[in-house]
């Protein structure tokens, strides 16, 4: 187990007056143990207690040869893993359950009367994971550097006549050559009017001169995710395209400038949203300004108008304002930022100057 992380979770449990909890999310278990286990439909559960030693319950199909510093209880496909977990639980105390645990396991545990009540305790691990330690920050820098390099190569590759899917296929090749471990999410490659859909599904559209092109791309390196968006123009950029691009870029910069410890997420969102609204496109900014990121591309915590949580050093999240003009084009510019003691470090370094690919 990674004791410093486990200790932070146990401290948060004590602060919440919770003595025991079950963690089932494979990413959270990797975060605490350094061991990836992908159980599929089989139960995986890490039981933690502030009063006794924890236990990891895992199917014997996923043997763990190394010493994780915690008891491991194996079960097979004809055993009841829930009954095994129930033996570890203190029946006289509430039990925290994380948000990813399938209901079929939770219902069985409740039917066994394993605890006096169950509560959602996801916020405990989520809040701990929001604050990246030094090792995580360095891994996020490396993943983002790879993404910068991939973005540069991808923009040098594209030309009129290519399909969105061809460009996405090229990106997969670029990531492989750079040593990435795959996508952190399916890339969004959007030409012209398709860019007006923030979550466009990369398809068969063909690039033509005058198109805007949105590249929303991310890779995984050493289990940590990157995410970045840039918008370019093929051959030429009309005055309207240039205007919208400038507005989105300045909104991105305004939000980044607002990031520092103690500032609320909603105020960072407001910095980007107000700038776009002041330039008459407020109703065309269709989504939140950003999301937290780390072992997963979208982690707990977002940069939205309703999130009043204050940012703190070690948090990493995206800043990605956009303007989307239905039937015409869209512009989105996204960077990841790491909150520092007096501001933030932008993890992406690829240019945000307007790019017209000749």
């Amino acid at each position: 187990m990674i004791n410093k992380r486990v200790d932070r979770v146990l401290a948060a449990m004590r602060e919440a007056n919770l003595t025991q909890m079950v963690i089932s999310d494979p990413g959270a278990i990797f975060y605490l143990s350094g061991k990836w286990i992908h159980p599929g439909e089989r139960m995986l559960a890490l039981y933690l207690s502030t009063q006794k030693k924890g236990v990891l319950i895992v199917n014997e199909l996923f043997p763990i040869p190394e010493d994780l510093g915690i008891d491991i209880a194996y079960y097979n496909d004809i055993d009841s893993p829930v009954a095994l977990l129930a033996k570890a639980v203190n029946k006289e105390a509430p039990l925290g359950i994380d948000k990813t645990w399938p209901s079929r396991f939770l219902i069985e545990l409740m039917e066994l009367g394993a605890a006096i009540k169950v509560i959602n305790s996801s916020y405990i691990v989520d809040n701990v994971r929001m604050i990246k330690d030094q090792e995580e920050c360095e891994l996020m820098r490396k993943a983002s550097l790879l993404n910068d390099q991939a973005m540069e190569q991808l923009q040098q590759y594209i030309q009129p006549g290519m399909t969105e899917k061809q460009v996405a296929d090229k990106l997969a090749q670029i990531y492989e050559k750079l040593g990435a471990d795959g996508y952190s999410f399916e890339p969004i490659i959007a030409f012209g009017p398709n860019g007006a859909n923030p979550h466009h599904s990369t398809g068969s559209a063909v690039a033509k001169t005058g198109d805007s092109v949105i590249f929303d791309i991310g890779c995984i390196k050493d289990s940590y995710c990157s995410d970045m968006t840039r918008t370019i123009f093929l051959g030429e950029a009309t005055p309207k395209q240039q205007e919208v691009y400038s507005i989105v870029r300045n909104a991105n910069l305004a939000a980044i400038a607002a990031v520092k410890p103690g500032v609320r997420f909603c105020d960072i969102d407001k910095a980007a949203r107000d700038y776009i609204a002041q330039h008459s496109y407020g109703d065309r900014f269709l989504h939140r300004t950003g999301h937290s990121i780390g072992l997963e591309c979208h982690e707990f915590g977002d940069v939205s108008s309703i999130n009043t949580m204050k940012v703190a050093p070690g948090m990493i999240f995206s800043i990605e304002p956009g303007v989307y003009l239905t039937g015409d084009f869209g512009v989105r510019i996204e960077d990841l930022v790491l909150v520092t003691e007096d501001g933030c470090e932008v993890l992406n370094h690829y240019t945000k100057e307007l790019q017209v690919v000749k």
Side-chain angles (χ1 to χ4, degrees):
M1 303 298 284
I2 303 175
N3 292 329
K4 62 182 179 180
R5 297 177 184 174
V6 175
D7 288 345
R8 288 174 61 199
V9 170
L10 292 174
M13 289 171 62
R14 293 186 185 97
E15 187 175 346
N17 294 317
L18 181 67
T19 60
Q20 56 181 350
M21 65 183 293
V22 173
I23 300 167
S24 67
D25 176 61
I29 290 174
F30 171 79
Y31 173 79
L32 295 172
S33 70
K35 180 70 174 179
W36 272 114
I37 303 168
H38 298 287
E41 78 277 12
R42 295 175 172 87
M43 194 188 90
L44 174 68
L46 172 62
Y47 173 78
L48 291 182
S49 171
T50 60
Q51 299 177 334
K52 60 182 179 178
K53 194 172 182 180
V55 60
L56 177 63
I57 299 174
V58 60
N59 191 285
E60 63 185 10
L61 292 175
F62 310 102
I64 303 171
E66 61 268 45
D67 181 7
L68 296 184
I70 191 170
D71 289 342
I72 299 176
Y74 289 104
Y75 67 93
N76 60 40
D77 280 349
I78 60 173
D79 293 330
S80 169
V82 176
L84 193 60
L85 173 62
K87 292 179 181 179
V89 174
N90 177 3
K91 294 178 173 54
E92 305 303 319
L95 175 67
I97 302 289
D98 73 19
K99 59 183 179 285
T100 66
W101 211 37
S103 59
R104 65 182 183 275
F105 299 135
L106 174 58
I107 291 171
E108 183 179 348
L109 188 72
M110 294 171 69
E111 288 174 344
L112 290 173
I116 57 172
K117 68 175 180 177
V118 294
I119 60 175
N120 184 350
S121 60
S122 293
Y123 69 94
I124 290 177
V125 178
D126 286 342
N127 285 336
V128 169
R129 285 177 61 185
M130 283 188 78
I131 308 296
K132 271 55 180 179
D133 58 35
Q134 187 173 351
E135 178 185 356
E136 291 182 287
C137 291
E138 188 55 34
L139 289 170
M140 289 295 294
R141 290 186 184 101
K142 289 180 179 178
S144 291
L145 176 60
L146 268 182
N147 217 25
D148 284 343
Q149 295 169 343
M151 183 71 78
E152 181 177 14
Q153 293 184 35
L154 196 63
Q155 292 195 10
Q156 292 173 351
Y157 169 77
I158 190 171
Q159 57 184 308
M162 292 181 174
T163 67
E164 293 170 343
K165 187 178 184 306
Q166 281 179 293
V167 177
D169 290 345
K170 180 64 176 179
L171 176 61
Q173 297 171 19
I174 291 170
Y175 279 149
E176 184 174 3
K177 289 182 179 179
L178 288 172
D181 302 322
Y183 293 143
S184 53
F185 59 94
E186 284 295 319
I188 298 173
I189 311 295
F191 298 160
N194 290 341
N197 176 359
H199 277 180
H200 169 67
S201 295
T202 300
S204 59
V206 177
K208 63 183 185 299
T209 298
D211 272 349
S212 62
V213 179
I214 290 180
F215 301 99
D216 189 346
I217 67 173
C219 65
I220 298 172
K221 180 62 177 175
D222 297 329
S223 296
Y224 281 80
C225 297
S226 61
D227 188 3
M228 173 174 55
T229 306
R230 293 291 185 266
T231 303
I232 67 166
F233 301 90
L234 290 180
E236 61 187 21
T238 66
K240 184 177 182 180
Q241 288 172 331
Q242 293 179 47
E243 175 199 21
V244 172
Y245 187 91
S246 177
I247 291 168
V248 174
R249 178 176 179 271
N250 288 334
N252 167 275
L253 295 173
I256 290 172
V259 178
K260 61 182 179 180
V263 171
R264 301 180 303 174
F265 280 105
C266 58
D267 294 327
I268 300 169
D269 178 89
K270 189 174 187 296
R273 202 166 299 281
D274 283 357
Y275 188 90
I276 290 174
Q278 289 163 11
H279 291 80
S280 304
Y281 288 103
D283 63 338
R284 295 291 85 204
F285 182 8
L286 305 177
H287 52 75
R288 63 192 179 187
T289 295
H291 58 85
S292 296
I293 185 171
L295 287 168
E296 299 168 275
C297 191
H298 285 219
E299 295 191 341
F300 174 76
D302 64 9
V303 188
S304 70
S305 60
I306 62 171
N307 187 357
T308 58
M309 178 185 290
K310 293 180 179 179
V311 306
M315 291 182 176
I316 299 178
F317 47 85
S318 66
I319 299 292
E320 49 181 302
V323 168
Y324 307 94
L325 306 180
T326 303
D328 198 354
F329 68 96
V331 174
R332 181 165 66 254
I333 301 173
E334 174 187 16
D335 298 295
L336 299 185
V337 297
L338 162 62
V339 183
T340 62
E341 295 296 334
D342 57 0
C344 73
E345 173 188 346
V346 181
L347 299 186
N348 297 108
H349 304 289
Y350 190 75
T351 183
K352 291 183 280 193
E353 295 298 324
L354 188 145
Q355 301 285 303
V356 178
V357 177
K358 299 296 184 180

